[in-house]
């Protein structure tokens, strides 16, 4: 028996193959694809190739690996192939890994780049829910208002369920064993703190978009908080003004803007 055979029958034979999962993300192009897909949209291979600056054939090869590995799901419409993250759990895993990953820290050479980085840290899409400092502030406020309980992990309280109904949100998961957890949390990579995810997080985000409290900023993950959104968050969660705007901007010359 070879050493390889012995390992195959050993105690690790039935353990999760964490190395295989890590290998899927151990490539900058594949990692860039997964981060881009956190916006919750379905992308074509051509769009992702353009984003990563690689040839279409290279993008297709990487996407095939991600689909085979279960990180992405694909769908076809005519001649077009679209890919998206396989499920919300994959998105939460990638966001959590991003919180642990070192940041390459490319120097900010323009005010536009500084503004883009600031806006991404303030409010962005994480697959189907809100992320960024605004999301953390909303989670903190829901806890302070007694809408979330942390006694045995994050959970929606009776007051929280009533609050959702008052807002007109009636599509959060219900029942003893919903297919998706009602309340989950993500480790926010820009804040290094928890923000609300799960069915409730998705329902709140969807409601905010439908009410135009949040609007998507073009083809990026960034979302903008509107004046109506600021008023709503002040009214419903008593969020302070400091939480309702991005941090002050530092220009490349070091001065705040």
């Amino acid at each position: 028996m070879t050493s390889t055979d012995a390992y195959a029958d050993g105690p690790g034979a039935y353990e999760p193959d964490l190395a295989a999962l890590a290998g899927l993300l151990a490539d900058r192009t594949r990692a860039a694809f997964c981060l881009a897909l956190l916006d919750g949209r379905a992308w074509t291979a051509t769009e992702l190739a353009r984003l990563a600056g690689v040839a279409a054939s290279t993008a297709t090869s990487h996407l095939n690996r991600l689909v085979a590995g279960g990180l992405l799901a694909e769908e076809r419409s005519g001649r077009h192939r679209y890919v998206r993250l396989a499920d919300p759990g994959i998105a939460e895993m990638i966001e959590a890994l991003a919180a642990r990953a070192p940041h390459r820290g490319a120097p900010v050479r323009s005010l536009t780049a500084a503004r883009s980085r600031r806006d991404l840290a303030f409010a962005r899409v994480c697959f189907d829910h809100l992320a960024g400092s605004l999301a953390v502030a909303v989670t903190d406020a829901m806890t302070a208002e007694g809408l979330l309980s942390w006694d045995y992990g994050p959970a929606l309280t009776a007051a929280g369920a009533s609050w959702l109904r008052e807002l007109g949100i009636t599509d959060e998961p219900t029942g003893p064993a919903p297919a998706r957890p009602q309340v989950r949390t993500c480790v926010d990579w820009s804040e290094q703190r928890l923000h609300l995810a799960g069915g409730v997080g998705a329902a709140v985000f969807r409601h905010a978009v439908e009410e135009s409290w949040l609007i998507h900023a073009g083809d990026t993950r960034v979302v903008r908080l509107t004046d109506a959104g600021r008023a709503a968050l002040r009214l419903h969660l008593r969020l302070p003004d400091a939480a309702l705007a991005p941090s002050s901007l530092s220009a490349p010359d070091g001065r705040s803007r």
Side-chain angles (χ1 to χ4, degrees):
M1 179 184 295
T2 66
S3 59
T4 302
D5 292 335
Y7 179 79
D9 292 333
Y14 302 105
E15 293 178 355
D17 193 351
L18 188 59
L21 174 61
L24 290 174
L25 295 173
D27 177 272
R28 292 199 186 280
T29 298
R30 292 195 294 274
F33 289 172
C34 289
L35 287 171
L37 289 165
L38 281 174
D39 69 356
R41 296 189 300 119
W43 291 54
T44 66
T46 301
E47 290 171 327
L48 289 169
R50 188 180 304 117
L51 170 85
V54 298
S57 58
T58 301
T60 297
S61 176
H62 284 303
L63 290 174
N64 288 343
R65 286 196 61 181
L66 291 169
V67 170
L71 295 187
L72 302 187
E74 64 178 342
E75 52 194 62
R76 294 186 180 272
S77 177
R79 298 174 58 186
H80 296 286
R81 178 199 193 193
Y82 294 88
V83 294
R84 63 171 70 246
L85 294 179
D87 57 61
I90 298 297
E92 292 162 15
M93 178 192 71
I94 292 171
E95 181 83 4
L97 287 173
R100 296 284 186 176
H103 289 256
R104 286 188 281 171
V108 176
R109 302 188 184 280
S110 70
L111 191 58
T112 298
R115 185 177 293 111
S116 296
R117 183 174 295 185
R118 178 202 63 178
D119 291 347
L120 187 68
F122 175 62
R124 63 183 180 275
V125 182
C126 181
F127 191 67
D128 62 358
H129 60 272
L130 182 66
S133 63
L134 180 62
V136 171
V138 167
T139 304
D140 288 346
M142 290 181 68
T143 301
E145 295 292 322
L147 310 178
L148 293 176
S149 169
W150 298 83
D151 292 341
Y152 303 99
L156 189 70
T157 65
S162 176
W163 179 79
L164 290 177
R165 289 192 296 270
E166 289 172 4
L167 286 180
I169 300 174
T170 59
D171 56 351
E172 76 275 10
T174 57
R180 183 182 184 190
Q182 191 180 46
V183 177
R184 290 189 61 162
T185 55
C186 267
V187 179
D188 196 284
W189 65 257
S190 57
E191 294 298 302
Q192 300 290 305
R193 294 185 56 208
L194 298 177
H195 65 240
L196 181 65
V200 171
V204 169
F205 177 69
R206 185 164 53 250
H207 182 76
V209 172
E210 290 171 352
E211 294 295 317
S212 296
W213 298 349
L214 294 170
I215 57 175
H216 291 275
D219 292 330
T220 72
R221 292 178 60 196
V222 172
V223 288
R224 310 282 189 203
L225 181 63
T226 65
D227 289 341
R230 291 186 183 87
L233 291 176
R234 289 190 192 101
L235 174 65
H236 297 298
L237 288 174
R238 296 192 283 187
L239 278 183
D241 288 345
L244 297 173
S247 59
S248 60
L249 192 64
S250 294
D253 59 11
R255 293 179 295 177
S256 295
R257 300 291 175 90

